[in-house]
Amino acid sequence: MLNTILTGEPSDRPPLLIVHGLFGSARNWGVIARRLGEDRQVIAVDMRNHGDSHWTERHDYFGMAEDLAEVLEHHGVSDVLGHSMGGKASMVLALTRPDLVRRLVVADIAPVAYGHDQIDNIRKMKQVDLEAIASRAEATEMMGDLEAATAAFFLQSLDLQEKRWKLNLDVLERDMETILGFPEVEGRFDGPALFLSGANSSYVTEDHHDAIRALFADPSFERIEGAGHWLHAEKPREVEAAVRRFIEG
């Protein structure tokens, strides 16, 4: 089963499963998990090929959805919050195993294929001479011309002691086209679904609403002002408030 970080105690409220995005981990959502865990249990996961979870030979959305279903079969029917890649995996979970999902929050992603890729970032991480570095500052220098915030985010997945990335960079690079795409899924999710996006992000636009409505019977849309794609890092209080309003109905 995926590595999980549990916050809060089981209560009369449904648990909340949090699913991070590409190159992330459960720990990226720690602040929001702690606040939402004040009155329910929050289950944050490391996705396959990330963090302390297992590595696989494939990184595809049906496999990721099966991983999430295994977690929910253990913890019970849950509300689900997924960001970016994790949002796509959460959508496939809701479409293929709607019996496990009560309410769905999809953060800044749509069920469509995107044209950008992250291959250059993977190659910059691969530039780091893991045997030679003694500090994260040295790793940052080896990655070259990355924005400071981007480098800091990647370095959360660098294990200096073990001299390794907690990311299966080879598989993520090979399956990047799959990660950027969205699979053909039979089914429709009839439960409530919130598509929460950053007002400064172009990942979810009105042009995507038809694709969303084709798969989700009861979608709502909300934008977080002043936030881009990394809305949970840029506006954590606002994201927390929006998620709380939605899952509390």
Side-chain angles (χ1 to χ4, degrees), residues 170-196:
D170 289 338
V171 166
L172 296 177
E173 181 176 20
R174 189 200 65 202
D175 287 352
M176 185 57 62
E177 185 175 350
T178 299
I179 295 168
L180 295 176
F182 191 79
E184 291 188 14
V185 187
E186 293 185 4
R188 185 172 167 87
F189 182 64
D190 293 325
L194 171 64
F195 287 79
L196 185 66

Side-chain angles (χ1 to χ4, degrees), residues 107-128:
D108 213 63
I109 205 73
V112 300
Y114 290 85
H116 63 273
D117 70 45
Q118 299 289 333
I119 296 296
D120 186 55
N121 284 327
I122 289 176
R123 290 174 180 166
K124 285 179 178 177
M125 282 185 269
K126 284 185 170 183
Q127 287 174 187
V128 177

Side-chain angles (χ1 to χ4, degrees), residues 4-248:
T4 60
I5 297 177
L6 302 180
T7 306
E9 298 296 328
S11 70
D12 58 351
R13 301 185 179 205
L16 173 67
L17 176 69
I18 297 182
V19 190
H20 66 79
L22 182 64
F23 306 138
S25 72
R27 296 188 183 281
N28 300 152
W29 285 82
V31 172
I32 291 175
R34 283 191 294 274
R35 293 183 62 85
L36 291 173
E38 291 172 358
D39 53 11
R40 75 189 70 237
Q41 186 160 70
V42 176
I43 310 148
V45 296
D46 289 336
M47 296 295 277
R48 60 170 58 190
N49 299 311
H50 290 72
D52 293 321
S53 283
H54 58 282
W55 285 17
T56 63
E57 288 302 314
R58 295 184 63 192
H59 199 81
D60 65 286
Y61 286 111
F62 288 116
M64 284 185 267
E66 289 173 3
D67 293 341
L68 297 176
E70 184 179 20
V71 172
L72 293 187
E73 285 169 346
H74 179 76
H75 288 279
V77 175
S78 176
D79 296 324
V80 178
L81 162 61
H83 172 248
S84 199
M85 177 195 78
K88 286 186 172 182
S90 298
M91 285 189 275
V92 174
L93 169 70
L95 292 166
T96 57
R97 291 296 308 273
D99 55 305
L100 294 174
V101 181
R102 192 186 76 111
R103 286 174 173 257
L104 174 68
V105 181
V106 179
D108 213 63
I109 205 73
V112 300
Y114 290 85
H116 63 273
D117 70 45
Q118 299 289 333
I119 296 296
D120 186 55
N121 284 327
I122 289 176
R123 290 174 180 166
K124 285 179 178 177
M125 282 185 269
K126 284 185 170 183
Q127 287 174 187
V128 177
D129 185 343
L130 295 171
E131 293 303 320
I133 59 170
S135 69
R136 282 177 166 73
E138 291 176 355
T140 300
E141 187 175 348
M142 288 184 184
M143 284 192 286
D145 58 341
L146 280 177
E147 292 184 2
T150 303
F153 171 63
F154 292 161
L155 290 173
Q156 291 180 42
S157 293
L158 178 63
D159 186 336
L160 270 177
Q161 185 173 354
E162 296 293 329
K163 301 287 188 181
R164 71 182 189 95
W165 290 102
K166 289 187 171 186
L167 300 166
N168 190 345
L169 295 174
D170 289 338
V171 166
L172 296 177
E173 181 176 20
R174 189 200 65 202
D175 287 352
M176 185 57 62
E177 185 175 350
T178 299
I179 295 168
L180 295 176
F182 191 79
E184 291 188 14
V185 187
E186 293 185 4
R188 185 172 167 87
F189 182 64
D190 293 325
L194 171 64
F195 287 79
L196 185 66
S197 58
N200 299 335
S201 172
S202 60
Y203 276 70
V204 182
T205 69
E206 289 190 7
D207 291 340
H208 297 136
H209 287 193
D210 285 347
I212 291 168
R213 291 191 176 100
L215 296 172
F216 298 92
D218 187 20
S220 56
F221 301 90
E222 185 172 345
R223 296 171 73 81
I224 302 293
E225 292 301 323
H229 183 59
W230 302 100
L231 65 173
H232 60 294
E234 297 165 0
K235 296 288 183 179
R237 289 296 182 93
E238 291 82 353
V239 169
E240 176 217 332
V243 172
R244 188 183 296 278
R245 283 194 302 271
F246 179 72
I247 62 178
E248 291 180 357

